[in-house]
Amino acid sequence: MGLTNFPNGVSSFGIPVVGGIGIPSKVGKVYFVDATNGVDTNSGKSHAKAFQTIQKAINQCVSGAGDIVYIFPGTYNENLTITSKDYINLIGCVSPGYARPDVAPTTGIALSIANSQGTVLKHMRFVSADADTVVNEGNGFLFEDCVFDGDAGQAATEANLRLVGDAADDSYTASEGRIVDCLFRGCGGDALIFQHANAPSGVGVTNVEVLNCRFYDNTGDDIATAANTSGGGAGILLTALIHGCKFMTKDKAVYLDLDQASFAGGDLLLNTGMISGNFFNDDAALDATKIDISGTNLRFVGNYNAVGVVDGSTFDD
């Protein structure tokens, strides 16, 4: 059984595609970005001909093709946008250790994903000093081994990652995605926000998994729901799974605040899902203030604080 290289002579960075077992032997085009050695007039098709900016590479990607952008360590002072492009992969080329590429604009959102499905982010760090760090409205996303950093300059209503549907098109709901092995820290607001779309769409976020992530030093809540300014059906966060996460701030006032109604008082009972197998750095009893799922159908099952297993059977009352 042979190994098939990626297109353009790329060896796949130690992750070869195996042929002959039903796995596609080709992916979309591959582009390289290097903030230090790249030039945007290059072709971007090899490291020797890398682009200097990530946005240049994104602009070359074709919607639906599964194009991959490999990004070398460095600081990228860019406000990135992925708009109307499906299945774009932004992959940090990380040697063992700290070497994630940093997307750190001087001001504003580090990455905005609009009308785009299936975005993949791996081994990246995103930073904002005064806005949401990353905003995503597309479905079927995978964010893995990423760092979402914030700053005290962020407003209390801002987030390191905001998942929110598109107001005009209810096929974009920030749903059916996975957030895996990521770090959320230093946000001036809430680290991770689920929010329903504005009118006329008004849809909530469904079937998202948050797995094995870490949260610390966030001024607001670590995970929260938020009503939008108009529209909204019943429920904001539906059939979610929050599992295996570490909430590392000691004795935080509120870790989870997931009891928001949709605009104009949508039914809290349609905020549904399971919060299981998580660890909270709190040696006092967790209660319905620190874990605020009041009036919802979210369930708090098999979670731990410094004392042991927490009885969460009354938190959703």
Side-chain angles (χ1 to χ4, degrees):
M1 183 181 297
L3 298 181
T4 304
N5 286 343
F6 277 55
N8 306 320
V10 182
S11 64
S12 80
F13 287 88
I15 312 175
V17 176
V18 180
I21 55 173
I23 300 174
S25 60
K26 291 185 179 294
V27 295
K29 291 184 178 179
V30 176
Y31 298 100
F32 293 84
V33 181
D34 188 327
T36 302
N37 302 304
V39 179
D40 275 353
T41 54
N42 284 342
S43 68
K45 293 183 177 180
S46 69
H47 185 217
K49 298 179 180 179
F51 297 131
Q52 185 178 38
T53 64
I54 301 170
Q55 191 63 54
K56 175 69 176 183
I58 292 171
N59 293 346
Q60 307 312 303
C61 292
V62 175
S63 180
D67 291 342
I68 298 174
V69 179
Y70 285 116
I71 304 161
F72 280 76
T75 298
Y76 298 84
N77 301 125
E78 303 183 57
N79 300 99
L80 300 178
T81 59
I82 300 174
T83 303
S84 300
K85 290 192 175 185
D86 296 340
Y87 311 124
I88 304 301
N89 300 266
L90 302 185
I91 312 295
C93 297
V94 181
S95 299
Y98 181 72
R100 289 182 184 84
D102 296 325
V103 180
T106 302
T107 187
I109 297 172
L111 171 62
S112 179
I113 304 167
N115 297 113
S116 303
Q117 312 282 37
T119 303
V120 173
L121 308 175
K122 290 188 177 184
H123 318 310
M124 299 286 296
R125 177 174 177 256
F126 299 94
V127 187
S128 179
D130 58 5
D132 288 337
T133 303
V134 174
V135 178
N136 174 53
E137 67 180 25
N139 301 335
F141 59 89
L142 173 61
F143 302 161
E144 183 176 346
D145 187 36
C146 290
V147 176
F148 298 93
D149 267 342
D151 186 84
Q154 292 172 307
T157 55
E158 289 167 345
N160 280 350
L161 175 60
R162 185 183 302 271
L163 302 179
V164 56
D166 180 78
D169 188 340
D170 64 7
S171 62
Y172 300 100
T173 63
S175 296
E176 298 181 28
R178 307 182 82 222
I179 305 165
V180 183
D181 293 329
C182 291
L183 170 61
F184 295 80
R185 66 184 174 192
C187 187
D190 299 332
L192 171 58
I193 288 179
F194 297 91
Q195 186 170 20
H196 74 68
N198 267 325
S201 168
V203 292
V205 179
T206 65
N207 296 298
V208 170
E209 297 176 89
V210 183
L211 307 174
N212 302 317
C213 293
R214 291 178 293 150
F215 298 82
Y216 69 86
D217 290 346
N218 301 299
T219 301
D221 310 321
D222 288 330
I223 305 179
T225 49
N228 220 320
T229 55
S230 70
I236 295 175
L237 179 61
L238 294 82
T239 56
L241 175 63
I242 300 170
H243 180 80
C245 296
K246 287 77 178 174
F247 297 89
M248 299 174 63
T249 301
K250 185 177 184 295
D251 299 334
K252 191 176 176 74
V254 181
Y255 293 100
L256 307 178
D257 187 1
L258 303 175
D259 71 336
Q260 293 296 306
S262 294
F263 182 78
D267 189 354
L268 289 180
L269 288 175
L270 292 185
N271 288 348
T272 61
M274 181 177 289
I275 303 160
S276 63
N278 302 288
F279 298 85
F280 296 83
N281 186 19
D282 199 314
D283 55 12
L286 294 181
D287 56 25
T289 299
K290 295 182 178 184
I291 310 297
D292 191 352
I293 54 176
S294 303
T296 73
N297 261 322
L298 290 157
R299 292 293 183 265
F300 192 84
V301 179
N303 298 282
Y304 301 82
N305 66 356
V307 179
V309 178
V310 176
D311 179 1
S313 61
T314 63
F315 293 172
D316 57 332
D317 289 351

